[in-house]
């Protein structure tokens, strides 16, 4: 039998992805077992894998344990931690904008697992900010708050146990009070109060006139500062007095004000940077050079960044981005989270529902490693760090606006092991495997394992085999000819601070093309039945051609699907020699002509009872069945499933002698194998048909 006479390229060859597949992103998540022809950014499943924090890589999760403090603190907007009841453990404070509440929770056992709520003020309209400090100098912690809706700056005097509170107003006409903080601005060794008014566009401090918190003198720092959202106090220029920092949400600005003479009566503004929707500001020595830098967030740019105080005087600043893509970054804090004597960053992200901390890798602030504390906090609003469980390590406290809780998270460290399993890849061929490559960062005290498997069907995948090295030949690990492929990556850490990272994987293969295993044509009572079998790559389309006296012409206008194996040529005449060819369209657009069959003819003869093969086969929407009756008479043609149940009756009654065709609409029938039976008074014939979609 002759096989291939010609191959014509009807279109451009497809890209390298036809014989390779790569995955560089997994952020779409799991739940896609496959088979797929492109991994895209999905995968089948994973455990202890962080695939969502950093685009273009995955690593082990940073494990933390959430401890709920309060679940019904409506629109929790701010959180703080301090020892309110003077029992040498850390308690938690919160402001609830929706509930108009200022409250604190007593750490009953010092471990952070048992809490008792104490309401400080349950009618503080628009409670928006909370802070703890010894305002009256009596050696216990009082509470300071800002009420956004009432426009009040207030402090509550602690009776020493946290059980009784006496309200003292600092300012009752501070329109849109959004933030309050306590520090000594005039150098008289008592605590004054700093505030931001988002509606009045003012930054102000109030002098604690006699140190008791009973008398206050207002000092304007800056007016016309468009929507100051966050303020902080620190010695920015290193001259041993307290300066002020501010973030203007609508002014797109971070500024610090120099306490010019140390008395708080004269202030010089120093612009740090234009920051669109600057939402928080804090001061810390990020680069370890013994001067204070600034850390802040932009809720518009979804960014947390820090600004380097270049000469320590606060006159020149260089921005360093810590991370982008932190949706709705709204609260920044800085502390030594991992206990390595440098300053790390902490942030709440309201839009991406995240609380995250960034490890200051070398203490210089130029390299950061991201660690997700919790990725399912609906509209996180505020974060703070303190040792809540008394284990001498910092924990993270958070206020969550969206579903009202106050929580804290115990930071455990990098998970010891985790794995990610890819979707099953359909190569759409019987591949001859090439090489496999990957890129990963595997630091000391960690390891990475790559395993692969292949199968002839998605439900018949082989056993996992470990690949020794990137660049190895896949044929050394899995058998050629297996159409479906899957990989699995396992990450291990033997140090809860070391984390391996996987970034990229690609595999190569070559297809064997379409091979003709069989092509035949046989005469039947209904015409000439062309039957073929192809191996190797699955064709995209097949067209049957007929040759008569050297002339070759297609038999049908619409191409058959690549899975077709039969065609019945009904338009033949007795006594004529016919040969048949196949035009096979491969996946890359190449059309190969295969054939021909040996010559076949229909010899003239009398009519005989016959039942044709179905056309097309397999069928999807309609199928044609032809039959021949030698005599007039009653007959029945019906379709049955393999359980013997009648599915359809196609003919039932008197039929004249001769050849007949019936078209059955099988579109409502399920895919599968069916039998159809022709029954006359004298005989019966049965054949099989397949429905496939």
């Amino acid at each position: 039998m002759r096989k291939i006479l010609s191959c014509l390229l009807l279109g451009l060859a497809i890209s390298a992805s036809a014989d390779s597949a790569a995955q560089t992103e997994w952020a779409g998540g799991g739940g896609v077992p496959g088979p797929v022809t492109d991994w895209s950014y999905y995968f089948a499943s994973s455990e202890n894998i962080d695939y969502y924090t950093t685009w273009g890589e995955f690593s082990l999760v940073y494990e933390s344990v959430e401890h709920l403090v309060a679940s019904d603190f409506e629109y929790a907007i701010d959180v703080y931690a301090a020892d309110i009841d003077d029992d040498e453990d850390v308690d938690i404070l919160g402001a609830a904008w929706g509930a108009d509440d200022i409250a604190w929770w007593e750490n009953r056992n010092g471990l952070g697992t048992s809490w008792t709520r104490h309401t400080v003020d349950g009618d503080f309209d628009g409670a928006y900010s909370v802070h703890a400090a010894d305002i009256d100098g009596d050696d216990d912690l009082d509470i300071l708050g800002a009420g956004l809706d009432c426009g009040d700056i207030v402090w509550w005097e602690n009776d020493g146990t946290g059980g009784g509170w006496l309200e003292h107003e600092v300012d009752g006409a501070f329109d849109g009070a959004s933030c309050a903080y306590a520090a000594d601005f005039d150098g008289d060794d008592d605590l004054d109060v700093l505030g931001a008014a988002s509606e009045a566009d003012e930054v102000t401090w109030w002098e604690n006139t006699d140190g008791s918190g009973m008398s206050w003198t207002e000092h304007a720092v800056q007016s016309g500062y468009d929507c100051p959202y966050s303020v902080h106090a620190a010695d920015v220029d290193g001259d041993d007095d307290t300066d002020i920092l501010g973030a203007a949400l609508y002014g797109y600005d971070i500024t610090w004000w120099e306490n010019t003479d140390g008395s708080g009566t004269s202030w010089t503004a120093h612009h740090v940077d234009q920051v669109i929707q600057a939402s928080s500001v804090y001061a810390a020595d990020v680069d370890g050079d013994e001067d204070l830098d600034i850390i802040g967030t932009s809720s518009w740019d979804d960014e947390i960044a820090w600004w380097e105080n270049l000469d320590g005087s606060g006159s020149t600043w260089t921005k360093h981005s810590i991370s982008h893509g932190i949706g709705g970054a709204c609260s920044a804090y800085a502390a030594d989270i991992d206990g390595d004597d440098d300053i790390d960053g902490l942030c709440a992200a309201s839009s991406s529902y995240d609380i995250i901390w960034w490890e200051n890798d070398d203490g210089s602030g130029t390299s950061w490693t991201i660690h997700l504390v919790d990725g399912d906090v609906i509209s996180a609003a505020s974060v703070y760090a303190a040792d809540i469980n008394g284990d001498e390590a910092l924990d993270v406290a958070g206020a969550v606006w969206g579903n009202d809780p106050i929580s804290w998270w115990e930071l455990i460290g990098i998970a010891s092991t985790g794995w990610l399993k890819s979707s099953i890849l359909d190569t759409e061929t019987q591949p001859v495997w090439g090489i496999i490559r990957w890129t990963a960062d595997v630091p000391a005290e960690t390891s990475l394992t790559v395993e692969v498997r292949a199968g002839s069907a998605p439900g018949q995948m082989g056993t996992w085999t470990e690949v020794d090295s990137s660049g190895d030949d896949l044929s050394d690990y899995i058998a050629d000819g297996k159409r479906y492929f899957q990989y699995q990556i396992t990450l291990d850490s033997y140090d809860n601070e070391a984390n391996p990272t996987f970034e990229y994987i690609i595999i190569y293969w070559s297809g064997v093309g379409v091979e003709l295993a069989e092509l035949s044509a046989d005469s039947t009572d209904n015409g000439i039945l062309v039957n073929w079998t192809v191996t190797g790559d699955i064709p995209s389309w097949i067209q049957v051609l007929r040759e008569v006296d050297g002339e070759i012409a297609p038999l049908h206008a619409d191409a058959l699907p690549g899975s077709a194996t039969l065609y019945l040529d009904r338009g033949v005449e007795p006594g004529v020699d016919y040969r048949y060819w196949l035009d096979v369209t491969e996946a890359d657009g190449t059309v190969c002509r295969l054939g021909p069959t040996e010559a076949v003819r229909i010899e003239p003869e009398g009519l005989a009872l016959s039942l044709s093969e179905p056309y097309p086969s397999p069928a999807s929407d309609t199928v044609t069945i032809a039959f021949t009756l030698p005599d007039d008479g009653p007959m029945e043609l019906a379709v049955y499933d393999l359980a013997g149940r009648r599915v359809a009756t196609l003919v039932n009654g008197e039929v004249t002698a001769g050849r007949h065709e019936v078209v059955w609409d099988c579109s409502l029938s399920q895919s599968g194998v069916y039998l159809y039976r022709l029954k006359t008074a004298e005989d019966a014939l049965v054949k099989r048909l397949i429905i496939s979609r």
Side-chain angles (χ1 to χ4, degrees):
M1 176 185 306
R2 289 170 289 172
K3 183 185 169 191
I4 300 179
L5 290 187
S6 62
C7 287
L8 304 176
L9 186 63
L10 299 186
L12 293 176
I14 61 175
S15 68
S17 63
D19 57 4
S20 68
Q23 188 158 17
T24 61
E25 179 52 59
W26 297 264
V32 183
V36 299
T37 57
D38 178 5
W39 281 315
S40 185
Y41 42 84
Y42 301 100
F43 56 90
S45 56
S46 68
E47 182 175 300
N48 288 339
I49 293 295
D50 178 359
Y51 54 85
Y52 35 77
T53 301
T54 303
W55 184 265
E57 64 182 42
F58 65 82
S59 58
L60 291 169
V61 297
Y62 189 90
E63 292 184 311
S64 61
V65 177
E66 181 180 4
H67 300 273
L68 184 66
V69 178
S71 61
D72 57 350
F73 201 50
E74 186 180 0
Y75 291 157
I77 194 68
D78 198 19
V79 69
Y80 195 77
D83 184 7
I84 299 299
D85 53 3
D86 196 27
D87 62 353
E88 299 183 359
D89 58 34
V90 175
D91 308 302
I92 290 179
L93 303 83
W97 188 20
D100 301 330
D101 275 358
I102 298 289
W104 75 279
W105 289 266
E106 180 183 355
N107 191 346
R108 294 293 301 274
N109 57 9
L111 302 175
T113 57
S114 176
W115 299 90
T116 298
R117 172 175 172 162
H118 302 272
T119 297
V120 178
D121 192 331
D123 192 26
F124 189 51
D125 193 13
Y128 212 77
S129 174
V130 66
H131 184 64
D134 184 8
I135 302 293
D136 54 4
D138 62 354
D139 296 325
D140 58 37
L141 289 181
D142 308 302
I143 293 178
L144 177 65
L148 187 73
D149 298 338
C150 62
D152 288 350
I153 299 290
V154 169
W155 74 278
W156 293 268
E157 182 180 354
N158 188 350
D159 66 1
T161 68
W165 299 91
L166 183 61
E167 178 179 340
H168 301 279
E169 183 180 278
V170 177
D171 193 325
F174 199 54
D175 195 14
S178 55
C179 189
Y181 193 79
D184 182 10
F185 294 103
D186 52 5
D188 62 354
D189 295 324
D190 59 35
L191 289 182
D192 308 300
V193 172
L194 171 66
S198 60
E199 295 293 335
D201 298 335
E202 293 178 355
V203 175
T204 297
W205 76 278
W206 292 266
E207 180 183 354
N208 190 347
T209 308
D210 61 3
S212 69
M214 301 298 123
S215 175
W216 299 92
T217 300
E218 180 178 356
H219 299 274
V221 177
Q222 178 79 60
S223 60
Y225 193 57
D226 194 2
C227 192
Y229 196 75
S230 173
V231 287
H232 186 60
D235 182 10
V236 175
D237 52 4
D239 62 353
D240 296 324
D241 57 33
T242 302
D243 307 302
I244 293 173
L245 304 87
L249 191 68
Y250 299 142
Y252 298 174
D253 181 81
I254 287 181
T255 288
W256 76 277
W257 292 268
E258 180 184 355
N259 192 345
T260 309
D261 60 4
S263 68
T265 57
S266 175
W267 299 90
T268 301
H270 299 273
H271 174 68
V272 177
D273 202 356
Q274 180 180 11
V275 179
I276 300 177
Q277 290 193 0
S279 49
S280 68
V281 66
Y282 193 77
D285 181 10
V286 177
D287 53 4
D289 61 355
E290 299 184 1
D291 57 38
L292 289 182
D293 309 299
I294 293 175
I295 187 168
T297 55
S298 165
S299 57
W300 178 268
D301 289 331
D302 299 334
E303 182 181 21
I304 181 171
W306 72 279
W307 289 263
E308 181 181 357
N309 190 348
L310 285 178
D311 61 4
S313 69
S315 58
T316 306
W317 300 89
T318 297
K319 178 182 175 181
H320 302 271
S321 180
I322 297 175
S323 189
H324 284 90
I326 311 303
C330 60
S331 174
Y333 189 71
D336 183 10
I337 302 294
D338 54 3
D340 62 353
D341 297 323
D342 57 35
I343 296 298
D344 308 301
L346 181 63
C347 180
S350 60
S351 300
S352 58
Y353 298 175
D354 292 335
I355 290 178
I356 301 170
W357 77 275
W358 288 264
E359 180 181 354
N360 191 347
D361 291 331
D362 60 5
S364 70
T366 56
S367 174
W368 300 87
T369 298
I370 189 169
H371 300 290
L372 184 68
V373 177
D374 196 325
D376 191 26
V377 282
I378 302 175
S379 299
S382 176
V383 288
Y384 192 75
D387 180 11
I388 294 171
N389 58 357
D391 63 354
E392 300 183 0
L394 288 183
D395 308 297
V396 173
V400 181
W401 165 285
N403 53 354
D404 305 332
I406 297 286
S407 291
W408 73 276
W409 289 263
E410 181 180 0
L411 305 182
I412 307 301
I414 303 299
S416 60
T417 188
W419 53 266
L420 182 143
K421 185 184 299 181
S422 77
S423 304
I424 294 174
L425 180 74
D426 182 0
T427 66
E428 300 183 290
T429 185
Q430 293 177 322
V432 176
W433 296 110
I435 62 173
I436 178 172
R437 295 189 188 277
W438 66 82
T439 58
D441 179 21
V442 187
E445 301 299 323
T446 70
S447 65
L448 177 147
T449 304
V450 177
E451 295 174 284
V452 296
R453 63 179 181 176
S456 299
Q460 299 173 354
M461 302 298 289
T463 58
W464 290 107
T465 303
E466 181 178 348
V467 180
D468 292 335
S469 303
S470 175
D472 282 0
D473 193 325
L474 273 174
S475 292
D476 293 338
Y477 303 98
I478 53 178
D480 290 336
K482 302 294 186 181
R483 173 174 172 173
Y484 298 94
F485 173 86
Q486 190 174 29
Y487 70 83
Q488 179 171 274
I489 310 299
T490 301
L491 304 178
D492 291 291
S493 174
Y494 314 107
D495 177 345
N496 66 2
E497 295 183 1
N499 200 349
T501 301
F502 192 86
E503 300 166 353
Y504 175 77
I505 188 169
I506 186 169
I507 64 168
Y508 296 90
W509 69 87
S510 58
V512 298
V514 177
E515 297 283 344
L516 183 63
E518 179 186 1
L519 176 60
S520 62
D522 299 290
S523 63
T524 71
D525 292 337
N526 306 303
I528 295 178
L529 181 66
V530 185
N531 193 340
W532 63 89
T533 301
V534 295
T535 60
D537 292 353
I538 297 176
S540 295
W541 307 102
I542 292 176
Q543 189 166 52
V544 182
L545 303 98
R546 181 174 65 190
E547 178 184 349
V548 180
D549 296 331
E551 296 292 330
I552 301 175
L555 285 173
H556 46 92
D558 296 329
L560 304 177
S563 58
T565 60
L566 295 171
Y567 183 84
L568 180 65
D569 181 10
R570 299 181 181 87
V572 294
E573 299 178 3
V576 179
D577 288 337
Y578 297 96
R579 290 182 173 86
Y580 293 88
W581 301 78
L582 300 179
D583 274 357
V584 178
T585 303
E586 300 190 42
D588 63 357
T590 300
V591 178
C592 291
R593 182 160 292 178
L594 309 178
T597 66
E598 299 296 334
V600 63
R601 69 167 63 194
I602 296 179
E603 299 296 342
E605 59 183 24
L607 294 176
L609 181 69
S610 66
L611 182 62
S612 74
E613 298 293 334
Y615 172 78
S617 178
S620 58
D621 296 319
T622 61
V623 60
T624 300
I625 298 172
F627 60 91
T628 302
L629 297 180
D631 302 299
D632 296 348
M635 55 95 39
E636 180 185 72
L637 179 61
V639 181
Y640 301 85
D641 63 20
L642 293 183
R645 293 171 296 203
R646 185 184 293 247
V647 176
T649 300
L650 307 183
V651 179
N652 186 12
E654 293 286 334
V655 180
T656 59
R659 184 177 182 277
H660 303 272
E661 287 186 358
V662 177
V663 177
W664 176 39
D665 180 1
C666 59
S667 61
L668 298 180
S669 298
Q670 295 181 349
S671 296
V673 178
Y674 294 82
L675 302 175
Y676 58 101
R677 185 180 69 166
L678 171 65
K679 182 180 180 181
T680 67
E682 293 80 19
D683 206 350
L685 300 175
V686 177
K687 288 187 179 293
R688 185 180 72 163
L689 69 85
I690 298 173
I691 299 174
S692 177
R693 299 184 183 88

